[in-house]
Amino acid sequence: LEGDFSDIEILSVELYGAIEEQADIFQMPEQAEFFGQRVKAETFTCYCGSDKEQQQAGRILAEKYEEITGVALRACSEVNREIPCGCIRFEAKTDIGPDGYDLEIAEKNAVIKASNFRGFVCGVECFIKLTSQEGVQTCKISDRPAHPFRGVHLYIPAVHQMEFARRLIK
């Protein structure tokens, strides 16, 4: 990429699909139910998953969670059907479809279900967006991609279109 973009300043961005007065999630999931309460950040102490992909998604979650809350999540070997209190559990669910996820955050535990690694990562990203220093928003969310891929289209204009781009951005 070549060009001088030093004089372009983006003052605001509108996220179409985000709903005001709800959790700051973009793109808004196909089904989302928010319960209006926050679980204290210290409630969650560990994550568990039964395979390599789930454990890798758990490590991503732990890193971002600690960054936001200051609370370190440890890896847990508990993979029983009963979810221990304070655990964020990753579960494989084949009927979700590629890149989709189900997320449930309750008062004492949380579950992220997906059929593949990208689905787990999308669930982790959603979990992180619901997290603040005060805690984590309780909810039940189901999301599937509308298209065979998830992504963002970013338009970068050619040099001769910079004036138009400046007007468009402002």
Side-chain angles (χ1 to χ4, degrees), residues 107-163:
E107 291 182 38
K108 296 182 181 179
N109 52 47
V111 181
I112 300 173
K113 297 177 183 178
S115 64
N116 63 7
F117 179 68
R118 289 188 311 262
F120 284 118
V121 170
C122 289
V124 164
E125 288 299 325
C126 186
F127 189 101
I128 291 302
K129 289 175 186 174
L130 295 166
T131 302
S132 70
Q133 288 181 335
E134 294 79 42
V136 184
Q137 174 72 44
T138 56
C139 65
K140 196 176 218 178
I141 292 175
S142 291
D143 193 27
R144 313 291 183 266
H147 302 286
F149 62 90
R150 289 188 185 260
V152 174
H153 181 219
L154 179 63
Y155 169 73
I156 301 176
V159 174
H160 66 279
Q161 295 175 325
M162 290 304 284
E163 191 55 41

Short mmCIF file of all heavy atoms in Angstrom, two decimals, residues 107-163:
data_model
loop_
_atom_site.label_atom_id
_atom_site.label_comp_id
_atom_site.label_asym_id
_atom_site.label_seq_id
_atom_site.Cartn_x
_atom_site.Cartn_y
_atom_site.Cartn_z
N GLU A 107 -24.96 -16.30 36.30
CA GLU A 107 -24.40 -15.71 37.52
C GLU A 107 -23.15 -16.40 38.03
O GLU A 107 -22.31 -15.77 38.66
CB GLU A 107 -25.46 -15.70 38.62
CG GLU A 107 -26.59 -14.74 38.36
CD GLU A 107 -27.58 -14.73 39.50
OE1 GLU A 107 -27.17 -14.81 40.67
OE2 GLU A 107 -28.78 -14.64 39.21
N LYS A 108 -23.02 -17.72 37.78
CA LYS A 108 -21.91 -18.46 38.37
C LYS A 108 -21.00 -19.14 37.36
O LYS A 108 -19.96 -19.66 37.71
CB LYS A 108 -22.44 -19.49 39.36
CG LYS A 108 -23.14 -18.85 40.53
CD LYS A 108 -23.62 -19.87 41.51
CE LYS A 108 -24.33 -19.16 42.65
NZ LYS A 108 -24.85 -20.09 43.64
N ASN A 109 -21.41 -19.18 36.08
CA ASN A 109 -20.57 -19.83 35.07
C ASN A 109 -20.97 -19.35 33.68
O ASN A 109 -21.95 -18.62 33.53
CB ASN A 109 -20.64 -21.35 35.18
CG ASN A 109 -22.06 -21.86 35.20
OD1 ASN A 109 -22.88 -21.44 34.38
ND2 ASN A 109 -22.37 -22.74 36.12
N ALA A 110 -20.22 -19.79 32.69
CA ALA A 110 -20.51 -19.40 31.30
C ALA A 110 -20.17 -20.57 30.38
O ALA A 110 -19.31 -21.40 30.70
CB ALA A 110 -19.69 -18.17 30.92
N VAL A 111 -20.84 -20.62 29.23
CA VAL A 111 -20.59 -21.67 28.24
C VAL A 111 -20.50 -21.03 26.86
O VAL A 111 -21.33 -20.20 26.49
CB VAL A 111 -21.73 -22.72 28.22
CG1 VAL A 111 -21.43 -23.81 27.20
CG2 VAL A 111 -21.95 -23.31 29.58
N ILE A 112 -19.47 -21.42 26.11
CA ILE A 112 -19.33 -21.03 24.70
C ILE A 112 -19.36 -22.32 23.90
O ILE A 112 -18.51 -23.18 24.08
CB ILE A 112 -18.02 -20.26 24.44
CG1 ILE A 112 -17.96 -18.99 25.29
CG2 ILE A 112 -17.87 -19.94 22.95
CD1 ILE A 112 -16.63 -18.25 25.23
N LYS A 113 -20.37 -22.42 23.00
CA LYS A 113 -20.51 -23.62 22.18
C LYS A 113 -20.27 -23.24 20.72
O LYS A 113 -20.75 -22.21 20.26
CB LYS A 113 -21.91 -24.21 22.31
CG LYS A 113 -22.25 -24.68 23.70
CD LYS A 113 -23.66 -25.18 23.80
CE LYS A 113 -24.00 -25.58 25.23
NZ LYS A 113 -25.39 -26.03 25.35
N ALA A 114 -19.54 -24.09 20.01
CA ALA A 114 -19.26 -23.86 18.59
C ALA A 114 -18.87 -25.18 17.94
O ALA A 114 -18.60 -26.16 18.63
CB ALA A 114 -18.14 -22.83 18.42
N SER A 115 -18.83 -25.17 16.60
CA SER A 115 -18.45 -26.40 15.90
C SER A 115 -17.02 -26.36 15.37
O SER A 115 -16.50 -27.39 14.95
CB SER A 115 -19.42 -26.66 14.74
OG SER A 115 -19.31 -25.63 13.78
N ASN A 116 -16.41 -25.17 15.36
CA ASN A 116 -15.02 -25.08 14.90
C ASN A 116 -14.29 -23.96 15.62
O ASN A 116 -14.88 -23.19 16.38
CB ASN A 116 -14.95 -24.90 13.37
CG ASN A 116 -15.59 -23.60 12.89
OD1 ASN A 116 -15.98 -22.75 13.67
ND2 ASN A 116 -15.68 -23.46 11.58
N PHE A 117 -12.99 -23.86 15.38
CA PHE A 117 -12.16 -22.89 16.08
C PHE A 117 -12.61 -21.46 15.84
O PHE A 117 -12.70 -20.66 16.77
CB PHE A 117 -10.68 -23.06 15.66
CG PHE A 117 -9.76 -22.08 16.33
CD1 PHE A 117 -9.53 -22.15 17.69
CD2 PHE A 117 -9.15 -21.08 15.60
CE1 PHE A 117 -8.69 -21.23 18.32
CE2 PHE A 117 -8.31 -20.17 16.20
CZ PHE A 117 -8.08 -20.25 17.58
N ARG A 118 -12.93 -21.11 14.59
CA ARG A 118 -13.38 -19.74 14.31
C ARG A 118 -14.66 -19.41 15.06
O ARG A 118 -14.86 -18.29 15.52
CB ARG A 118 -13.54 -19.52 12.81
CG ARG A 118 -12.21 -19.48 12.08
CD ARG A 118 -12.37 -19.06 10.62
NE ARG A 118 -13.39 -19.80 9.92
CZ ARG A 118 -13.19 -20.84 9.12
NH1 ARG A 118 -11.96 -21.27 8.90
NH2 ARG A 118 -14.18 -21.45 8.52
N GLY A 119 -15.55 -20.37 15.20
CA GLY A 119 -16.76 -20.17 15.99
C GLY A 119 -16.43 -19.89 17.45
O GLY A 119 -17.02 -18.99 18.07
N PHE A 120 -15.48 -20.65 18.00
CA PHE A 120 -15.06 -20.40 19.38
C PHE A 120 -14.46 -19.01 19.53
O PHE A 120 -14.75 -18.30 20.49
CB PHE A 120 -14.05 -21.46 19.86
CG PHE A 120 -14.68 -22.78 20.18
CD1 PHE A 120 -14.34 -23.92 19.48
CD2 PHE A 120 -15.63 -22.90 21.19
CE1 PHE A 120 -14.92 -25.14 19.75
CE2 PHE A 120 -16.22 -24.12 21.49
CZ PHE A 120 -15.86 -25.25 20.77
N VAL A 121 -13.65 -18.60 18.57
CA VAL A 121 -13.03 -17.28 18.63
C VAL A 121 -14.08 -16.18 18.53
O VAL A 121 -14.02 -15.18 19.26
CB VAL A 121 -11.93 -17.12 17.55
CG1 VAL A 121 -11.44 -15.69 17.46
CG2 VAL A 121 -10.76 -18.05 17.87
N CYS A 122 -15.09 -16.35 17.67
CA CYS A 122 -16.18 -15.37 17.58
C CYS A 122 -16.94 -15.31 18.91
O CYS A 122 -17.31 -14.23 19.38
CB CYS A 122 -17.13 -15.71 16.44
SG CYS A 122 -16.41 -15.43 14.81
N GLY A 123 -17.14 -16.46 19.55
CA GLY A 123 -17.78 -16.49 20.87
C GLY A 123 -16.93 -15.80 21.92
O GLY A 123 -17.45 -15.07 22.77
N VAL A 124 -15.62 -16.00 21.86
CA VAL A 124 -14.69 -15.33 22.77
C VAL A 124 -14.75 -13.81 22.57
O VAL A 124 -14.82 -13.05 23.53
CB VAL A 124 -13.25 -15.85 22.58
CG1 VAL A 124 -12.23 -14.92 23.21
CG2 VAL A 124 -13.12 -17.26 23.15
N GLU A 125 -14.74 -13.37 21.32
CA GLU A 125 -14.80 -11.93 21.03
C GLU A 125 -16.09 -11.33 21.58
O GLU A 125 -16.08 -10.24 22.15
CB GLU A 125 -14.69 -11.67 19.53
CG GLU A 125 -13.30 -11.90 18.98
CD GLU A 125 -12.24 -11.01 19.58
OE1 GLU A 125 -12.53 -9.83 19.89
OE2 GLU A 125 -11.11 -11.47 19.76
N CYS A 126 -17.19 -12.02 21.43
CA CYS A 126 -18.46 -11.54 21.96
C CYS A 126 -18.39 -11.47 23.49
O CYS A 126 -18.81 -10.48 24.10
CB CYS A 126 -19.60 -12.45 21.51
SG CYS A 126 -21.22 -11.84 21.97
N PHE A 127 -17.84 -12.50 24.12
CA PHE A 127 -17.69 -12.52 25.58
C PHE A 127 -16.87 -11.31 26.03
O PHE A 127 -17.24 -10.61 26.98
CB PHE A 127 -16.99 -13.82 26.01
CG PHE A 127 -16.98 -14.04 27.49
CD1 PHE A 127 -17.88 -14.91 28.08
CD2 PHE A 127 -16.06 -13.40 28.30
CE1 PHE A 127 -17.87 -15.14 29.45
CE2 PHE A 127 -16.05 -13.61 29.67
CZ PHE A 127 -16.96 -14.48 30.25
N ILE A 128 -15.79 -11.02 25.34
CA ILE A 128 -14.91 -9.90 25.69
C ILE A 128 -15.65 -8.57 25.53
O ILE A 128 -15.49 -7.67 26.35
CB ILE A 128 -13.62 -9.94 24.84
CG1 ILE A 128 -12.76 -11.14 25.26
CG2 ILE A 128 -12.83 -8.65 24.95
CD1 ILE A 128 -12.36 -11.19 26.72
N LYS A 129 -16.47 -8.45 24.51
CA LYS A 129 -17.22 -7.21 24.31
C LYS A 129 -18.25 -6.98 25.42
O LYS A 129 -18.67 -5.85 25.65
CB LYS A 129 -17.92 -7.22 22.94
CG LYS A 129 -16.94 -7.08 21.80
CD LYS A 129 -17.63 -7.21 20.48
CE LYS A 129 -16.62 -7.21 19.34
NZ LYS A 129 -17.26 -7.48 18.06
N LEU A 130 -18.64 -8.03 26.11
CA LEU A 130 -19.59 -7.93 27.21
C LEU A 130 -18.89 -7.74 28.56
O LEU A 130 -19.53 -7.71 29.60
CB LEU A 130 -20.46 -9.19 27.26
CG LEU A 130 -21.37 -9.40 26.06
CD1 LEU A 130 -21.91 -10.83 26.05
CD2 LEU A 130 -22.50 -8.40 26.05
N THR A 131 -17.55 -7.62 28.52
CA THR A 131 -16.74 -7.56 29.73
C THR A 131 -16.22 -6.14 29.97
O THR A 131 -15.79 -5.46 29.05
CB THR A 131 -15.54 -8.52 29.60
OG1 THR A 131 -16.03 -9.85 29.38
CG2 THR A 131 -14.69 -8.53 30.85
N SER A 132 -16.25 -5.73 31.23
CA SER A 132 -15.65 -4.46 31.64
C SER A 132 -14.97 -4.70 32.99
O SER A 132 -15.05 -5.81 33.53
CB SER A 132 -16.70 -3.37 31.76
OG SER A 132 -17.55 -3.63 32.87
N GLN A 133 -14.35 -3.68 33.54
CA GLN A 133 -13.70 -3.84 34.85
C GLN A 133 -14.72 -4.17 35.94
O GLN A 133 -14.38 -4.82 36.91
CB GLN A 133 -12.94 -2.57 35.23
CG GLN A 133 -11.69 -2.39 34.41
CD GLN A 133 -10.93 -1.14 34.81
OE1 GLN A 133 -11.49 -0.19 35.33
NE2 GLN A 133 -9.63 -1.16 34.54
N GLU A 134 -15.96 -3.72 35.76
CA GLU A 134 -17.00 -3.99 36.75
C GLU A 134 -17.50 -5.42 36.68
O GLU A 134 -18.03 -5.94 37.65
CB GLU A 134 -18.19 -3.04 36.55
CG GLU A 134 -17.87 -1.59 36.83
CD GLU A 134 -17.14 -0.91 35.70
OE1 GLU A 134 -17.50 -1.13 34.52
OE2 GLU A 134 -16.19 -0.17 35.98
N GLY A 135 -17.41 -6.06 35.53
CA GLY A 135 -17.89 -7.42 35.41
C GLY A 135 -18.31 -7.78 34.00
O GLY A 135 -17.95 -7.11 33.04
N VAL A 136 -19.12 -8.84 33.91
CA VAL A 136 -19.55 -9.37 32.62
C VAL A 136 -21.07 -9.37 32.57
O VAL A 136 -21.74 -9.79 33.52
CB VAL A 136 -19.03 -10.82 32.42
CG1 VAL A 136 -19.38 -11.34 31.04
CG2 VAL A 136 -17.53 -10.90 32.66
N GLN A 137 -21.62 -8.88 31.45
CA GLN A 137 -23.07 -8.80 31.25
C GLN A 137 -23.64 -10.21 31.11
O GLN A 137 -23.15 -11.01 30.32
CB GLN A 137 -23.34 -8.01 29.97
CG GLN A 137 -24.78 -7.96 29.54
CD GLN A 137 -25.62 -7.09 30.43
OE1 GLN A 137 -25.22 -6.01 30.80
NE2 GLN A 137 -26.79 -7.59 30.80
N THR A 138 -24.68 -10.53 31.87
CA THR A 138 -25.33 -11.83 31.74
C THR A 138 -26.21 -11.82 30.49
O THR A 138 -26.84 -10.81 30.16
CB THR A 138 -26.19 -12.16 32.97
OG1 THR A 138 -27.13 -11.11 33.18
CG2 THR A 138 -25.33 -12.35 34.21
N CYS A 139 -26.22 -12.93 29.78
CA CYS A 139 -26.96 -12.98 28.52
C CYS A 139 -27.05 -14.41 27.99
O CYS A 139 -26.43 -15.32 28.52
CB CYS A 139 -26.26 -12.11 27.47
SG CYS A 139 -24.64 -12.74 27.04
N LYS A 140 -27.81 -14.52 26.92
CA LYS A 140 -27.89 -15.75 26.14
C LYS A 140 -27.87 -15.30 24.68
O LYS A 140 -28.75 -14.55 24.25
CB LYS A 140 -29.19 -16.48 26.46
CG LYS A 140 -29.23 -17.90 26.03
CD LYS A 140 -30.53 -18.54 26.50
CE LYS A 140 -30.26 -19.96 26.94
NZ LYS A 140 -31.47 -20.60 27.44
N ILE A 141 -26.86 -15.72 23.93
CA ILE A 141 -26.66 -15.25 22.56
C ILE A 141 -26.44 -16.44 21.63
O ILE A 141 -25.71 -17.37 21.96
CB ILE A 141 -25.44 -14.30 22.48
CG1 ILE A 141 -25.76 -13.01 23.23
CG2 ILE A 141 -25.03 -14.01 21.05
CD1 ILE A 141 -24.61 -12.04 23.34
N SER A 142 -27.06 -16.37 20.46
CA SER A 142 -26.81 -17.33 19.37
C SER A 142 -26.48 -16.52 18.13
O SER A 142 -27.20 -15.58 17.81
CB SER A 142 -28.04 -18.19 19.09
OG SER A 142 -28.29 -19.05 20.16
N ASP A 143 -25.43 -16.90 17.45
CA ASP A 143 -25.07 -16.18 16.24
C ASP A 143 -24.50 -17.14 15.20
O ASP A 143 -23.76 -18.06 15.53
CB ASP A 143 -24.04 -15.09 16.55
CG ASP A 143 -23.86 -14.12 15.40
OD1 ASP A 143 -24.82 -13.94 14.61
OD2 ASP A 143 -22.78 -13.54 15.28
N ARG A 144 -24.90 -16.90 13.98
CA ARG A 144 -24.41 -17.65 12.82
C ARG A 144 -24.08 -16.63 11.75
O ARG A 144 -24.78 -15.63 11.61
CB ARG A 144 -25.49 -18.59 12.26
CG ARG A 144 -26.23 -19.43 13.28
CD ARG A 144 -25.34 -20.49 13.91
NE ARG A 144 -26.08 -21.33 14.83
CZ ARG A 144 -26.17 -21.13 16.13
NH1 ARG A 144 -25.63 -20.09 16.69
NH2 ARG A 144 -26.82 -21.98 16.92
N PRO A 145 -23.04 -16.87 10.95
CA PRO A 145 -22.74 -15.92 9.88
C PRO A 145 -23.84 -15.93 8.82
O PRO A 145 -24.39 -16.97 8.48
CB PRO A 145 -21.41 -16.40 9.31
CG PRO A 145 -21.24 -17.79 9.80
CD PRO A 145 -22.09 -17.97 11.01
N ALA A 146 -24.14 -14.75 8.30
CA ALA A 146 -25.15 -14.63 7.25
C ALA A 146 -24.59 -15.10 5.91
O ALA A 146 -25.34 -15.48 5.02
CB ALA A 146 -25.62 -13.17 7.12
N HIS A 147 -23.29 -15.08 5.78
CA HIS A 147 -22.61 -15.48 4.55
C HIS A 147 -21.61 -16.58 4.88
O HIS A 147 -21.31 -16.81 6.05
CB HIS A 147 -21.90 -14.27 3.92
CG HIS A 147 -22.85 -13.15 3.61
ND1 HIS A 147 -23.74 -13.20 2.57
CD2 HIS A 147 -23.07 -11.98 4.24
CE1 HIS A 147 -24.45 -12.10 2.55
NE2 HIS A 147 -24.07 -11.33 3.56
N PRO A 148 -21.04 -17.23 3.89
CA PRO A 148 -20.11 -18.32 4.17
C PRO A 148 -18.79 -17.89 4.82
O PRO A 148 -17.94 -18.69 5.10
CB PRO A 148 -19.81 -18.92 2.78
CG PRO A 148 -20.81 -18.33 1.85
CD PRO A 148 -21.36 -17.11 2.48
N PHE A 149 -18.65 -16.58 5.08
CA PHE A 149 -17.44 -16.08 5.72
C PHE A 149 -17.82 -14.91 6.61
O PHE A 149 -18.85 -14.28 6.43
CB PHE A 149 -16.41 -15.63 4.68
CG PHE A 149 -16.92 -14.50 3.82
CD1 PHE A 149 -16.71 -13.18 4.19
CD2 PHE A 149 -17.63 -14.76 2.66
CE1 PHE A 149 -17.20 -12.15 3.42
CE2 PHE A 149 -18.13 -13.74 1.88
CZ PHE A 149 -17.92 -12.42 2.26
N ARG A 150 -16.97 -14.60 7.57
CA ARG A 150 -17.14 -13.39 8.39
C ARG A 150 -16.03 -12.44 7.99
O ARG A 150 -14.90 -12.84 7.79
CB ARG A 150 -17.01 -13.71 9.88
CG ARG A 150 -18.17 -14.50 10.44
CD ARG A 150 -18.02 -14.58 11.96
NE ARG A 150 -19.02 -15.41 12.56
CZ ARG A 150 -20.10 -14.94 13.16
NH1 ARG A 150 -20.33 -13.64 13.20
NH2 ARG A 150 -20.97 -15.75 13.72
N GLY A 151 -16.35 -11.16 7.88
CA GLY A 151 -15.32 -10.21 7.51
C GLY A 151 -15.85 -8.79 7.45
O GLY A 151 -17.01 -8.53 7.69
N VAL A 152 -14.97 -7.89 7.11
CA VAL A 152 -15.28 -6.48 6.99
C VAL A 152 -14.74 -6.00 5.66
O VAL A 152 -13.63 -6.35 5.26
CB VAL A 152 -14.61 -5.67 8.13
CG1 VAL A 152 -14.82 -4.19 7.95
CG2 VAL A 152 -15.14 -6.12 9.48
N HIS A 153 -15.53 -5.20 4.95
CA HIS A 153 -15.08 -4.63 3.69
C HIS A 153 -14.61 -3.21 3.96
O HIS A 153 -15.36 -2.39 4.46
CB HIS A 153 -16.22 -4.63 2.67
CG HIS A 153 -15.81 -4.07 1.35
ND1 HIS A 153 -16.63 -3.27 0.61
CD2 HIS A 153 -14.67 -4.17 0.64
CE1 HIS A 153 -16.01 -2.90 -0.50
NE2 HIS A 153 -14.82 -3.44 -0.48
N LEU A 154 -13.36 -2.94 3.69
CA LEU A 154 -12.78 -1.62 3.90
C LEU A 154 -12.40 -1.03 2.55
O LEU A 154 -11.63 -1.62 1.80
CB LEU A 154 -11.54 -1.72 4.80
CG LEU A 154 -10.80 -0.43 5.08
CD1 LEU A 154 -11.70 0.55 5.84
CD2 LEU A 154 -9.55 -0.71 5.87
N TYR A 155 -12.95 0.12 2.25
CA TYR A 155 -12.69 0.79 0.98
C TYR A 155 -11.53 1.75 1.17
O TYR A 155 -11.58 2.66 1.98
CB TYR A 155 -13.94 1.54 0.53
CG TYR A 155 -13.69 2.47 -0.64
CD1 TYR A 155 -13.49 1.96 -1.92
CD2 TYR A 155 -13.65 3.84 -0.46
CE1 TYR A 155 -13.27 2.80 -2.99
CE2 TYR A 155 -13.43 4.69 -1.53
CZ TYR A 155 -13.24 4.17 -2.79
OH TYR A 155 -13.01 4.99 -3.86
N ILE A 156 -10.45 1.55 0.44
CA ILE A 156 -9.32 2.47 0.43
C ILE A 156 -9.24 3.06 -0.97
O ILE A 156 -9.02 2.35 -1.94
CB ILE A 156 -7.99 1.76 0.79
CG1 ILE A 156 -8.12 1.15 2.19
CG2 ILE A 156 -6.84 2.74 0.72
CD1 ILE A 156 -6.94 0.35 2.62
N PRO A 157 -9.46 4.37 -1.08
CA PRO A 157 -9.55 4.99 -2.40
C PRO A 157 -8.20 5.11 -3.10
O PRO A 157 -7.15 5.14 -2.46
CB PRO A 157 -10.11 6.38 -2.10
CG PRO A 157 -9.66 6.66 -0.70
CD PRO A 157 -9.66 5.33 0.00
N ALA A 158 -8.28 5.21 -4.42
CA ALA A 158 -7.08 5.49 -5.21
C ALA A 158 -6.70 6.96 -5.00
O ALA A 158 -7.52 7.76 -4.55
CB ALA A 158 -7.37 5.21 -6.69
N VAL A 159 -5.48 7.30 -5.33
CA VAL A 159 -4.97 8.65 -5.10
C VAL A 159 -5.86 9.70 -5.76
O VAL A 159 -6.17 10.73 -5.15
CB VAL A 159 -3.50 8.76 -5.60
CG1 VAL A 159 -3.00 10.19 -5.51
CG2 VAL A 159 -2.61 7.83 -4.81
N HIS A 160 -6.32 9.47 -6.98
CA HIS A 160 -7.14 10.46 -7.67
C HIS A 160 -8.55 10.58 -7.10
O HIS A 160 -9.31 11.48 -7.47
CB HIS A 160 -7.18 10.17 -9.19
CG HIS A 160 -7.89 8.91 -9.54
ND1 HIS A 160 -7.27 7.67 -9.45
CD2 HIS A 160 -9.16 8.68 -9.95
CE1 HIS A 160 -8.13 6.73 -9.81
NE2 HIS A 160 -9.29 7.32 -10.12
N GLN A 161 -8.93 9.71 -6.15
CA GLN A 161 -10.25 9.77 -5.52
C GLN A 161 -10.19 10.27 -4.08
O GLN A 161 -11.17 10.21 -3.36
CB GLN A 161 -10.90 8.39 -5.54
CG GLN A 161 -11.19 7.87 -6.93
CD GLN A 161 -11.71 6.44 -6.87
OE1 GLN A 161 -11.30 5.64 -6.03
NE2 GLN A 161 -12.62 6.13 -7.78
N MET A 162 -9.05 10.79 -3.65
CA MET A 162 -8.87 11.19 -2.26
C MET A 162 -9.82 12.31 -1.84
O MET A 162 -10.34 12.29 -0.73
CB MET A 162 -7.42 11.61 -2.00
CG MET A 162 -6.44 10.45 -2.04
SD MET A 162 -6.89 9.14 -0.89
CE MET A 162 -6.38 9.89 0.62
N GLU A 163 -10.07 13.26 -2.70
CA GLU A 163 -10.96 14.36 -2.35
C GLU A 163 -12.37 13.84 -2.06
O GLU A 163 -13.01 14.22 -1.08
CB GLU A 163 -11.00 15.42 -3.46
CG GLU A 163 -11.69 16.70 -3.04
CD GLU A 163 -11.08 17.33 -1.77
OE1 GLU A 163 -9.84 17.33 -1.63
OE2 GLU A 163 -11.87 17.79 -0.93
#
